[in-house]
Amino acid sequence: MKGLLLLCLLLLFGGQRSSACPHPCSCHGSQVNCSSRSLTSSSLPINFPAGTTSLFLQNNRLTHLPNGFLEGLTSLRSVSLHGNPWECNCGVLYLRAWLLRQPTSLTSHQGVNCSSPPGLRGRLVVHLMEKEVLESCHYWYCDLALASQVCLFVFVVLQAALLVALIVFLKRFERLSKEARRTTEESFTVGESLRDNN
Ligand SMILES: *[C@@H]1O[C@H](CO)[C@@H](O)[C@H](O)[C@H]1NC(C)=O
Ligand SMILES: *[C@@H]1O[C@H](CO)[C@@H](O)[C@H](O)[C@H]1NC(C)=O
């Protein structure tokens, strides 16, 4: 019973949260105004009301949009993104892909331009070639794959060395034990023959 109540409360608050105006933006009807609030990509709110039709994000300090940022907002009709210092590296690919998917009426591509790297400064994000951006990409998972390959190789070499050492050791041990057996047998027979002679 208590659990059910908790669940209801959770659902209620969850529901309320998705329709509340995210801090520090202001909302008028279905318009959400987050412009000129010094927002960075990490301080950007992610819970927007589900029915948001206009989203103002201009004149902030956004360098990239988090992946999937605009995916849940199905009623969007306009998004303002100009006046942000977009970093045109791997992180811009989501924004670029999203812009390319939109009809030009939805969002103005004008002013959505790169502030870095120097070679791409001032270029419109939509007009970037994928190749230009991919060059700057640093694939940590490639490094990881390479590192694990190297580790694997080292382990295999180490195992082979250990195996060889083990074989050499066993061979030597076999020879030693054979020799030892022979010597004990010899001394035994010598001892016996000595005793027999007495
Ligand atoms: C959005 O907010 C900014 C800053 O508070 C304000 O200057 C601007 O007029 C607002 N824009 C709209 C369309 O409400
Ligand atoms: C880039 O956008 C800013 C505003 O966001 C604008 O002032 C500037 O002129 C633009 N630069 C180019 C080269 O389009």
Side-chain angles (χ1 to χ4, degrees), residues 18-22 26-34 48-58 70 72-81 98 102-103 105-108:
S18 73
S19 62
C21 193
S26 62
C27 302
H28 300 279
S30 58
Q31 295 194 344
V32 180
N33 182 2
C34 305
F48 292 101
T52 302
T53 54
S54 301
L55 186 55
F56 301 108
L57 293 171
Q58 71 270 30
L70 295 159
L73 302 171
T74 47
S75 313
L76 269 187
R77 282 203 290 272
S78 78
V79 181
S80 307
L81 296 163
W98 186 83
Q102 308 310 313
S105 56
L106 177 81
T107 180
S108 172

PDB file of all heavy atoms in Angstrom, residues 18-22 26-34 48-58 70 72-81 98 102-103 105-108:
ATOM      1  N   SER A  18       7.971  17.057 -16.125  1.00  0.00           N
ATOM      2  CA  SER A  18       8.116  17.143 -17.572  1.00  0.00           C
ATOM      3  C   SER A  18       7.316  18.309 -18.155  1.00  0.00           C
ATOM      4  O   SER A  18       7.522  18.679 -19.298  1.00  0.00           O
ATOM      5  CB  SER A  18       7.685  15.835 -18.229  1.00  0.00           C
ATOM      6  OG  SER A  18       6.290  15.726 -18.184  1.00  0.00           O
ATOM      7  N   SER A  19       6.395  18.908 -17.367  1.00  0.00           N
ATOM      8  CA  SER A  19       5.650  20.036 -17.901  1.00  0.00           C
ATOM      9  C   SER A  19       6.079  21.348 -17.250  1.00  0.00           C
ATOM     10  O   SER A  19       5.612  22.407 -17.625  1.00  0.00           O
ATOM     11  CB  SER A  19       4.149  19.818 -17.702  1.00  0.00           C
ATOM     12  OG  SER A  19       3.868  19.745 -16.323  1.00  0.00           O
ATOM     13  N   ALA A  20       6.983  21.257 -16.266  1.00  0.00           N
ATOM     14  CA  ALA A  20       7.431  22.470 -15.597  1.00  0.00           C
ATOM     15  C   ALA A  20       8.465  23.190 -16.448  1.00  0.00           C
ATOM     16  O   ALA A  20       9.126  22.572 -17.275  1.00  0.00           O
ATOM     17  CB  ALA A  20       8.036  22.120 -14.238  1.00  0.00           C
ATOM     18  N   CYS A  21       8.560  24.481 -16.222  1.00  0.00           N
ATOM     19  CA  CYS A  21       9.551  25.263 -16.965  1.00  0.00           C
ATOM     20  C   CYS A  21      10.924  25.007 -16.360  1.00  0.00           C
ATOM     21  O   CYS A  21      11.119  25.162 -15.153  1.00  0.00           O
ATOM     22  CB  CYS A  21       9.218  26.746 -16.874  1.00  0.00           C
ATOM     23  SG  CYS A  21      10.141  27.737 -18.048  1.00  0.00           S
ATOM     24  N   PRO A  22      11.881  24.578 -17.183  1.00  0.00           N
ATOM     25  CA  PRO A  22      13.198  24.244 -16.623  1.00  0.00           C
ATOM     26  C   PRO A  22      13.951  25.503 -16.181  1.00  0.00           C
ATOM     27  O   PRO A  22      13.906  26.522 -16.855  1.00  0.00           O
ATOM     28  CB  PRO A  22      13.914  23.540 -17.769  1.00  0.00           C
ATOM     29  CG  PRO A  22      13.258  24.065 -18.998  1.00  0.00           C
ATOM     30  CD  PRO A  22      11.843  24.369 -18.642  1.00  0.00           C
ATOM     31  N   SER A  26      12.638  30.841 -19.056  1.00  0.00           N
ATOM     32  CA  SER A  26      11.287  31.332 -18.791  1.00  0.00           C
ATOM     33  C   SER A  26      10.361  30.781 -19.863  1.00  0.00           C
ATOM     34  O   SER A  26      10.787  30.549 -20.988  1.00  0.00           O
ATOM     35  CB  SER A  26      11.263  32.868 -18.785  1.00  0.00           C
ATOM     36  OG  SER A  26      11.639  33.358 -20.055  1.00  0.00           O
ATOM     37  N   CYS A  27       9.121  30.531 -19.503  1.00  0.00           N
ATOM     38  CA  CYS A  27       8.198  29.913 -20.445  1.00  0.00           C
ATOM     39  C   CYS A  27       6.950  30.773 -20.611  1.00  0.00           C
ATOM     40  O   CYS A  27       6.426  31.313 -19.636  1.00  0.00           O
ATOM     41  CB  CYS A  27       7.796  28.524 -19.948  1.00  0.00           C
ATOM     42  SG  CYS A  27       9.206  27.422 -19.706  1.00  0.00           S
ATOM     43  N   HIS A  28       6.532  30.873 -21.846  1.00  0.00           N
ATOM     44  CA  HIS A  28       5.260  31.534 -22.146  1.00  0.00           C
ATOM     45  C   HIS A  28       4.486  30.607 -23.052  1.00  0.00           C
ATOM     46  O   HIS A  28       4.863  30.440 -24.210  1.00  0.00           O
ATOM     47  CB  HIS A  28       5.493  32.879 -22.829  1.00  0.00           C
ATOM     48  CG  HIS A  28       6.281  33.834 -21.986  1.00  0.00           C
ATOM     49  ND1 HIS A  28       5.722  34.584 -20.977  1.00  0.00           N
ATOM     50  CD2 HIS A  28       7.607  34.139 -21.977  1.00  0.00           C
ATOM     51  CE1 HIS A  28       6.653  35.309 -20.385  1.00  0.00           C
ATOM     52  NE2 HIS A  28       7.820  35.046 -20.980  1.00  0.00           N
ATOM     53  N   GLY A  29       3.438  30.008 -22.504  1.00  0.00           N
ATOM     54  CA  GLY A  29       2.724  29.002 -23.279  1.00  0.00           C
ATOM     55  C   GLY A  29       3.666  27.867 -23.616  1.00  0.00           C
ATOM     56  O   GLY A  29       4.325  27.328 -22.722  1.00  0.00           O
ATOM     57  N   SER A  30       3.783  27.544 -24.889  1.00  0.00           N
ATOM     58  CA  SER A  30       4.666  26.449 -25.276  1.00  0.00           C
ATOM     59  C   SER A  30       6.031  26.958 -25.745  1.00  0.00           C
ATOM     60  O   SER A  30       6.802  26.216 -26.337  1.00  0.00           O
ATOM     61  CB  SER A  30       4.001  25.618 -26.376  1.00  0.00           C
ATOM     62  OG  SER A  30       3.715  26.444 -27.484  1.00  0.00           O
ATOM     63  N   GLN A  31       6.298  28.264 -25.488  1.00  0.00           N
ATOM     64  CA  GLN A  31       7.603  28.827 -25.846  1.00  0.00           C
ATOM     65  C   GLN A  31       8.534  28.774 -24.644  1.00  0.00           C
ATOM     66  O   GLN A  31       8.170  29.226 -23.566  1.00  0.00           O
ATOM     67  CB  GLN A  31       7.459  30.284 -26.290  1.00  0.00           C
ATOM     68  CG  GLN A  31       6.657  30.466 -27.565  1.00  0.00           C
ATOM     69  CD  GLN A  31       6.841  31.861 -28.138  1.00  0.00           C
ATOM     70  OE1 GLN A  31       7.314  32.765 -27.455  1.00  0.00           O
ATOM     71  NE2 GLN A  31       6.462  32.024 -29.400  1.00  0.00           N
ATOM     72  N   VAL A  32       9.694  28.212 -24.859  1.00  0.00           N
ATOM     73  CA  VAL A  32      10.674  28.122 -23.772  1.00  0.00           C
ATOM     74  C   VAL A  32      11.856  29.015 -24.132  1.00  0.00           C
ATOM     75  O   VAL A  32      12.514  28.815 -25.160  1.00  0.00           O
ATOM     76  CB  VAL A  32      11.144  26.666 -23.559  1.00  0.00           C
ATOM     77  CG1 VAL A  32      12.153  26.594 -22.418  1.00  0.00           C
ATOM     78  CG2 VAL A  32       9.951  25.767 -23.251  1.00  0.00           C
ATOM     79  N   ASN A  33      12.101  30.004 -23.282  1.00  0.00           N
ATOM     80  CA  ASN A  33      13.151  30.969 -23.567  1.00  0.00           C
ATOM     81  C   ASN A  33      14.348  30.739 -22.651  1.00  0.00           C
ATOM     82  O   ASN A  33      14.316  31.047 -21.479  1.00  0.00           O
ATOM     83  CB  ASN A  33      12.577  32.383 -23.370  1.00  0.00           C
ATOM     84  CG  ASN A  33      13.591  33.463 -23.693  1.00  0.00           C
ATOM     85  OD1 ASN A  33      14.721  33.166 -24.099  1.00  0.00           O
ATOM     86  ND2 ASN A  33      13.193  34.718 -23.512  1.00  0.00           N
ATOM     87  N   CYS A  34      15.402  30.188 -23.223  1.00  0.00           N
ATOM     88  CA  CYS A  34      16.638  29.968 -22.460  1.00  0.00           C
ATOM     89  C   CYS A  34      17.749  30.836 -23.021  1.00  0.00           C
ATOM     90  O   CYS A  34      18.929  30.535 -22.839  1.00  0.00           O
ATOM     91  CB  CYS A  34      17.062  28.506 -22.535  1.00  0.00           C
ATOM     92  SG  CYS A  34      15.827  27.318 -22.027  1.00  0.00           S
ATOM     93  N   PHE A  48      12.618  19.510 -20.881  1.00  0.00           N
ATOM     94  CA  PHE A  48      11.753  20.541 -21.432  1.00  0.00           C
ATOM     95  C   PHE A  48      10.326  20.015 -21.461  1.00  0.00           C
ATOM     96  O   PHE A  48      10.112  18.809 -21.612  1.00  0.00           O
ATOM     97  CB  PHE A  48      12.214  20.935 -22.838  1.00  0.00           C
ATOM     98  CG  PHE A  48      13.525  21.648 -22.832  1.00  0.00           C
ATOM     99  CD1 PHE A  48      14.684  20.980 -23.148  1.00  0.00           C
ATOM    100  CD2 PHE A  48      13.600  22.989 -22.481  1.00  0.00           C
ATOM    101  CE1 PHE A  48      15.908  21.629 -23.124  1.00  0.00           C
ATOM    102  CE2 PHE A  48      14.811  23.651 -22.449  1.00  0.00           C
ATOM    103  CZ  PHE A  48      15.967  22.972 -22.773  1.00  0.00           C
ATOM    104  N   PRO A  49       9.340  20.924 -21.336  1.00  0.00           N
ATOM    105  CA  PRO A  49       7.955  20.468 -21.421  1.00  0.00           C
ATOM    106  C   PRO A  49       7.725  19.730 -22.738  1.00  0.00           C
ATOM    107  O   PRO A  49       8.243  20.154 -23.782  1.00  0.00           O
ATOM    108  CB  PRO A  49       7.157  21.782 -21.373  1.00  0.00           C
ATOM    109  CG  PRO A  49       8.050  22.767 -20.712  1.00  0.00           C
ATOM    110  CD  PRO A  49       9.443  22.373 -21.085  1.00  0.00           C
ATOM    111  N   ALA A  50       6.981  18.641 -22.659  1.00  0.00           N
ATOM    112  CA  ALA A  50       6.813  17.782 -23.835  1.00  0.00           C
ATOM    113  C   ALA A  50       6.207  18.531 -25.024  1.00  0.00           C
ATOM    114  O   ALA A  50       6.532  18.235 -26.169  1.00  0.00           O
ATOM    115  CB  ALA A  50       5.949  16.585 -23.469  1.00  0.00           C
ATOM    116  N   GLY A  51       5.357  19.518 -24.764  1.00  0.00           N
ATOM    117  CA  GLY A  51       4.669  20.206 -25.866  1.00  0.00           C
ATOM    118  C   GLY A  51       5.386  21.444 -26.372  1.00  0.00           C
ATOM    119  O   GLY A  51       4.797  22.234 -27.120  1.00  0.00           O
ATOM    120  N   THR A  52       6.654  21.617 -25.999  1.00  0.00           N
ATOM    121  CA  THR A  52       7.414  22.808 -26.423  1.00  0.00           C
ATOM    122  C   THR A  52       7.384  22.981 -27.942  1.00  0.00           C
ATOM    123  O   THR A  52       7.693  22.049 -28.675  1.00  0.00           O
ATOM    124  CB  THR A  52       8.884  22.693 -25.961  1.00  0.00           C
ATOM    125  OG1 THR A  52       8.895  22.546 -24.547  1.00  0.00           O
ATOM    126  CG2 THR A  52       9.690  23.923 -26.348  1.00  0.00           C
ATOM    127  N   THR A  53       6.989  24.185 -28.386  1.00  0.00           N
ATOM    128  CA  THR A  53       6.976  24.434 -29.833  1.00  0.00           C
ATOM    129  C   THR A  53       8.125  25.342 -30.262  1.00  0.00           C
ATOM    130  O   THR A  53       8.624  25.220 -31.368  1.00  0.00           O
ATOM    131  CB  THR A  53       5.646  25.084 -30.281  1.00  0.00           C
ATOM    132  OG1 THR A  53       5.431  26.261 -29.490  1.00  0.00           O
ATOM    133  CG2 THR A  53       4.481  24.128 -30.101  1.00  0.00           C
ATOM    134  N   SER A  54       8.526  26.257 -29.381  1.00  0.00           N
ATOM    135  CA  SER A  54       9.660  27.132 -29.707  1.00  0.00           C
ATOM    136  C   SER A  54      10.687  27.071 -28.590  1.00  0.00           C
ATOM    137  O   SER A  54      10.324  27.144 -27.416  1.00  0.00           O
ATOM    138  CB  SER A  54       9.199  28.589 -29.856  1.00  0.00           C
ATOM    139  OG  SER A  54       8.228  28.680 -30.863  1.00  0.00           O
ATOM    140  N   LEU A  55      11.930  26.932 -28.990  1.00  0.00           N
ATOM    141  CA  LEU A  55      13.007  26.836 -28.009  1.00  0.00           C
ATOM    142  C   LEU A  55      14.069  27.871 -28.364  1.00  0.00           C
ATOM    143  O   LEU A  55      14.616  27.854 -29.463  1.00  0.00           O
ATOM    144  CB  LEU A  55      13.582  25.417 -28.044  1.00  0.00           C
ATOM    145  CG  LEU A  55      14.628  25.046 -27.004  1.00  0.00           C
ATOM    146  CD1 LEU A  55      14.135  25.298 -25.594  1.00  0.00           C
ATOM    147  CD2 LEU A  55      15.004  23.565 -27.163  1.00  0.00           C
ATOM    148  N   PHE A  56      14.281  28.809 -27.433  1.00  0.00           N
ATOM    149  CA  PHE A  56      15.293  29.843 -27.676  1.00  0.00           C
ATOM    150  C   PHE A  56      16.555  29.504 -26.893  1.00  0.00           C
ATOM    151  O   PHE A  56      16.545  29.496 -25.666  1.00  0.00           O
ATOM    152  CB  PHE A  56      14.774  31.223 -27.252  1.00  0.00           C
ATOM    153  CG  PHE A  56      13.517  31.637 -27.969  1.00  0.00           C
ATOM    154  CD1 PHE A  56      12.292  31.672 -27.308  1.00  0.00           C
ATOM    155  CD2 PHE A  56      13.559  31.989 -29.312  1.00  0.00           C
ATOM    156  CE1 PHE A  56      11.136  32.039 -27.966  1.00  0.00           C
ATOM    157  CE2 PHE A  56      12.397  32.358 -29.987  1.00  0.00           C
ATOM    158  CZ  PHE A  56      11.178  32.385 -29.310  1.00  0.00           C
ATOM    159  N   LEU A  57      17.607  29.207 -27.603  1.00  0.00           N
ATOM    160  CA  LEU A  57      18.881  28.861 -26.959  1.00  0.00           C
ATOM    161  C   LEU A  57      19.994  29.811 -27.406  1.00  0.00           C
ATOM    162  O   LEU A  57      21.171  29.582 -27.130  1.00  0.00           O
ATOM    163  CB  LEU A  57      19.276  27.426 -27.320  1.00  0.00           C
ATOM    164  CG  LEU A  57      18.383  26.294 -26.776  1.00  0.00           C
ATOM    165  CD1 LEU A  57      18.762  24.961 -27.404  1.00  0.00           C
ATOM    166  CD2 LEU A  57      18.476  26.210 -25.265  1.00  0.00           C
ATOM    167  N   GLN A  58      19.587  30.908 -28.091  1.00  0.00           N
ATOM    168  CA  GLN A  58      20.624  31.781 -28.663  1.00  0.00           C
ATOM    169  C   GLN A  58      21.363  32.576 -27.595  1.00  0.00           C
ATOM    170  O   GLN A  58      20.869  32.749 -26.489  1.00  0.00           O
ATOM    171  CB  GLN A  58      20.003  32.745 -29.701  1.00  0.00           C
ATOM    172  CG  GLN A  58      19.121  33.843 -29.134  1.00  0.00           C
ATOM    173  CD  GLN A  58      17.658  33.429 -29.030  1.00  0.00           C
ATOM    174  OE1 GLN A  58      17.353  32.275 -28.840  1.00  0.00           O
ATOM    175  NE2 GLN A  58      16.759  34.401 -29.149  1.00  0.00           N
ATOM    176  N   LEU A  70      17.467  16.981 -28.639  1.00  0.00           N
ATOM    177  CA  LEU A  70      16.199  17.485 -29.186  1.00  0.00           C
ATOM    178  C   LEU A  70      15.254  16.365 -29.604  1.00  0.00           C
ATOM    179  O   LEU A  70      14.175  16.620 -30.132  1.00  0.00           O
ATOM    180  CB  LEU A  70      16.486  18.386 -30.406  1.00  0.00           C
ATOM    181  CG  LEU A  70      17.259  19.672 -30.083  1.00  0.00           C
ATOM    182  CD1 LEU A  70      17.928  20.219 -31.324  1.00  0.00           C
ATOM    183  CD2 LEU A  70      16.332  20.705 -29.467  1.00  0.00           C
ATOM    184  N   GLY A  72      13.325  14.163 -27.955  1.00  0.00           N
ATOM    185  CA  GLY A  72      12.021  13.951 -27.317  1.00  0.00           C
ATOM    186  C   GLY A  72      10.989  15.026 -27.651  1.00  0.00           C
ATOM    187  O   GLY A  72       9.813  14.854 -27.363  1.00  0.00           O
ATOM    188  N   LEU A  73      11.442  16.137 -28.241  1.00  0.00           N
ATOM    189  CA  LEU A  73      10.543  17.281 -28.439  1.00  0.00           C
ATOM    190  C   LEU A  73       9.895  17.214 -29.815  1.00  0.00           C
ATOM    191  O   LEU A  73      10.382  17.760 -30.789  1.00  0.00           O
ATOM    192  CB  LEU A  73      11.331  18.587 -28.263  1.00  0.00           C
ATOM    193  CG  LEU A  73      12.008  18.711 -26.903  1.00  0.00           C
ATOM    194  CD1 LEU A  73      12.934  19.901 -26.867  1.00  0.00           C
ATOM    195  CD2 LEU A  73      10.972  18.795 -25.783  1.00  0.00           C
ATOM    196  N   THR A  74       8.755  16.518 -29.851  1.00  0.00           N
ATOM    197  CA  THR A  74       8.134  16.230 -31.147  1.00  0.00           C
ATOM    198  C   THR A  74       7.286  17.388 -31.677  1.00  0.00           C
ATOM    199  O   THR A  74       6.919  17.398 -32.848  1.00  0.00           O
ATOM    200  CB  THR A  74       7.260  14.968 -31.044  1.00  0.00           C
ATOM    201  OG1 THR A  74       6.455  15.084 -29.867  1.00  0.00           O
ATOM    202  CG2 THR A  74       8.115  13.717 -30.953  1.00  0.00           C
ATOM    203  N   SER A  75       6.957  18.345 -30.805  1.00  0.00           N
ATOM    204  CA  SER A  75       6.095  19.449 -31.258  1.00  0.00           C
ATOM    205  C   SER A  75       6.892  20.681 -31.685  1.00  0.00           C
ATOM    206  O   SER A  75       6.299  21.699 -32.043  1.00  0.00           O
ATOM    207  CB  SER A  75       5.140  19.862 -30.129  1.00  0.00           C
ATOM    208  OG  SER A  75       4.538  18.736 -29.546  1.00  0.00           O
ATOM    209  N   LEU A  76       8.218  20.587 -31.652  1.00  0.00           N
ATOM    210  CA  LEU A  76       9.060  21.747 -31.962  1.00  0.00           C
ATOM    211  C   LEU A  76       8.766  22.322 -33.339  1.00  0.00           C
ATOM    212  O   LEU A  76       8.648  21.579 -34.309  1.00  0.00           O
ATOM    213  CB  LEU A  76      10.535  21.346 -31.921  1.00  0.00           C
ATOM    214  CG  LEU A  76      11.282  21.485 -30.601  1.00  0.00           C
ATOM    215  CD1 LEU A  76      12.749  21.199 -30.837  1.00  0.00           C
ATOM    216  CD2 LEU A  76      11.095  22.865 -30.002  1.00  0.00           C
ATOM    217  N   ARG A  77       8.629  23.641 -33.385  1.00  0.00           N
ATOM    218  CA  ARG A  77       8.459  24.291 -34.680  1.00  0.00           C
ATOM    219  C   ARG A  77       9.595  25.263 -34.975  1.00  0.00           C
ATOM    220  O   ARG A  77       9.873  25.562 -36.123  1.00  0.00           O
ATOM    221  CB  ARG A  77       7.104  25.005 -34.734  1.00  0.00           C
ATOM    222  CG  ARG A  77       5.952  24.027 -34.972  1.00  0.00           C
ATOM    223  CD  ARG A  77       4.739  24.724 -35.572  1.00  0.00           C
ATOM    224  NE  ARG A  77       4.105  25.622 -34.600  1.00  0.00           N
ATOM    225  CZ  ARG A  77       3.161  25.215 -33.736  1.00  0.00           C
ATOM    226  NH1 ARG A  77       2.752  23.966 -33.740  1.00  0.00           N
ATOM    227  NH2 ARG A  77       2.627  26.068 -32.896  1.00  0.00           N
ATOM    228  N   SER A  78      10.259  25.752 -33.910  1.00  0.00           N
ATOM    229  CA  SER A  78      11.431  26.588 -34.170  1.00  0.00           C
ATOM    230  C   SER A  78      12.437  26.488 -33.027  1.00  0.00           C
ATOM    231  O   SER A  78      12.057  26.349 -31.866  1.00  0.00           O
ATOM    232  CB  SER A  78      11.018  28.050 -34.396  1.00  0.00           C
ATOM    233  OG  SER A  78      10.735  28.668 -33.161  1.00  0.00           O
ATOM    234  N   VAL A  79      13.685  26.521 -33.406  1.00  0.00           N
ATOM    235  CA  VAL A  79      14.777  26.474 -32.432  1.00  0.00           C
ATOM    236  C   VAL A  79      15.777  27.557 -32.820  1.00  0.00           C
ATOM    237  O   VAL A  79      16.164  27.637 -33.990  1.00  0.00           O
ATOM    238  CB  VAL A  79      15.489  25.101 -32.448  1.00  0.00           C
ATOM    239  CG1 VAL A  79      16.600  25.063 -31.411  1.00  0.00           C
ATOM    240  CG2 VAL A  79      14.508  23.972 -32.193  1.00  0.00           C
ATOM    241  N   SER A  80      16.145  28.382 -31.883  1.00  0.00           N
ATOM    242  CA  SER A  80      17.164  29.409 -32.165  1.00  0.00           C
ATOM    243  C   SER A  80      18.471  29.005 -31.515  1.00  0.00           C
ATOM    244  O   SER A  80      18.518  28.752 -30.314  1.00  0.00           O
ATOM    245  CB  SER A  80      16.721  30.767 -31.610  1.00  0.00           C
ATOM    246  OG  SER A  80      15.437  31.084 -32.083  1.00  0.00           O
ATOM    247  N   LEU A  81      19.502  28.936 -32.319  1.00  0.00           N
ATOM    248  CA  LEU A  81      20.783  28.408 -31.831  1.00  0.00           C
ATOM    249  C   LEU A  81      21.952  29.351 -32.091  1.00  0.00           C
ATOM    250  O   LEU A  81      23.087  29.043 -31.722  1.00  0.00           O
ATOM    251  CB  LEU A  81      21.069  27.067 -32.519  1.00  0.00           C
ATOM    252  CG  LEU A  81      20.096  25.918 -32.229  1.00  0.00           C
ATOM    253  CD1 LEU A  81      20.247  24.822 -33.258  1.00  0.00           C
ATOM    254  CD2 LEU A  81      20.313  25.370 -30.833  1.00  0.00           C
ATOM    255  N   TRP A  98      21.210  16.842 -36.881  1.00  0.00           N
ATOM    256  CA  TRP A  98      19.861  17.276 -36.528  1.00  0.00           C
ATOM    257  C   TRP A  98      19.418  18.423 -37.436  1.00  0.00           C
ATOM    258  O   TRP A  98      18.310  18.422 -37.951  1.00  0.00           O
ATOM    259  CB  TRP A  98      19.799  17.692 -35.058  1.00  0.00           C
ATOM    260  CG  TRP A  98      18.408  18.005 -34.627  1.00  0.00           C
ATOM    261  CD1 TRP A  98      17.453  17.117 -34.219  1.00  0.00           C
ATOM    262  CD2 TRP A  98      17.790  19.297 -34.599  1.00  0.00           C
ATOM    263  NE1 TRP A  98      16.279  17.781 -33.941  1.00  0.00           N
ATOM    264  CE2 TRP A  98      16.467  19.125 -34.156  1.00  0.00           C
ATOM    265  CE3 TRP A  98      18.247  20.593 -34.902  1.00  0.00           C
ATOM    266  CZ2 TRP A  98      15.578  20.180 -34.018  1.00  0.00           C
ATOM    267  CZ3 TRP A  98      17.364  21.646 -34.765  1.00  0.00           C
ATOM    268  CH2 TRP A  98      16.039  21.440 -34.324  1.00  0.00           C
ATOM    269  N   GLN A 102      16.161  18.739 -40.431  1.00  0.00           N
ATOM    270  CA  GLN A 102      15.020  19.632 -40.278  1.00  0.00           C
ATOM    271  C   GLN A 102      14.699  20.341 -41.582  1.00  0.00           C
ATOM    272  O   GLN A 102      15.603  20.664 -42.352  1.00  0.00           O
ATOM    273  CB  GLN A 102      15.308  20.686 -39.195  1.00  0.00           C
ATOM    274  CG  GLN A 102      15.765  20.115 -37.877  1.00  0.00           C
ATOM    275  CD  GLN A 102      14.856  19.011 -37.384  1.00  0.00           C
ATOM    276  OE1 GLN A 102      13.634  19.176 -37.390  1.00  0.00           O
ATOM    277  NE2 GLN A 102      15.423  17.891 -36.980  1.00  0.00           N
ATOM    278  N   PRO A 103      13.399  20.612 -41.801  1.00  0.00           N
ATOM    279  CA  PRO A 103      13.070  21.500 -42.920  1.00  0.00           C
ATOM    280  C   PRO A 103      13.623  22.877 -42.595  1.00  0.00           C
ATOM    281  O   PRO A 103      13.669  23.267 -41.428  1.00  0.00           O
ATOM    282  CB  PRO A 103      11.534  21.502 -42.922  1.00  0.00           C
ATOM    283  CG  PRO A 103      11.123  21.003 -41.583  1.00  0.00           C
ATOM    284  CD  PRO A 103      12.226  20.157 -41.066  1.00  0.00           C
ATOM    285  N   SER A 105      12.551  25.649 -42.685  1.00  0.00           N
ATOM    286  CA  SER A 105      11.631  26.575 -42.035  1.00  0.00           C
ATOM    287  C   SER A 105      11.681  26.445 -40.512  1.00  0.00           C
ATOM    288  O   SER A 105      11.377  27.382 -39.793  1.00  0.00           O
ATOM    289  CB  SER A 105      10.206  26.318 -42.516  1.00  0.00           C
ATOM    290  OG  SER A 105       9.870  24.962 -42.280  1.00  0.00           O
ATOM    291  N   LEU A 106      12.063  25.275 -40.041  1.00  0.00           N
ATOM    292  CA  LEU A 106      12.024  25.032 -38.596  1.00  0.00           C
ATOM    293  C   LEU A 106      13.058  25.854 -37.847  1.00  0.00           C
ATOM    294  O   LEU A 106      12.786  26.422 -36.810  1.00  0.00           O
ATOM    295  CB  LEU A 106      12.249  23.549 -38.299  1.00  0.00           C
ATOM    296  CG  LEU A 106      12.303  23.229 -36.806  1.00  0.00           C
ATOM    297  CD1 LEU A 106      10.902  23.122 -36.246  1.00  0.00           C
ATOM    298  CD2 LEU A 106      13.062  21.957 -36.532  1.00  0.00           C
ATOM    299  N   THR A 107      14.235  25.897 -38.402  1.00  0.00           N
ATOM    300  CA  THR A 107      15.313  26.552 -37.672  1.00  0.00           C
ATOM    301  C   THR A 107      16.166  27.344 -38.639  1.00  0.00           C
ATOM    302  O   THR A 107      16.350  26.945 -39.787  1.00  0.00           O
ATOM    303  CB  THR A 107      16.177  25.515 -36.933  1.00  0.00           C
ATOM    304  OG1 THR A 107      17.194  26.213 -36.251  1.00  0.00           O
ATOM    305  CG2 THR A 107      16.780  24.491 -37.858  1.00  0.00           C
ATOM    306  N   SER A 108      16.660  28.470 -38.173  1.00  0.00           N
ATOM    307  CA  SER A 108      17.525  29.247 -39.036  1.00  0.00           C
ATOM    308  C   SER A 108      18.950  28.724 -38.912  1.00  0.00           C
ATOM    309  O   SER A 108      19.489  28.665 -37.823  1.00  0.00           O
ATOM    310  CB  SER A 108      17.468  30.718 -38.626  1.00  0.00           C
ATOM    311  OG  SER A 108      18.436  31.432 -39.343  1.00  0.00           O
TER     312      SER A 108
END
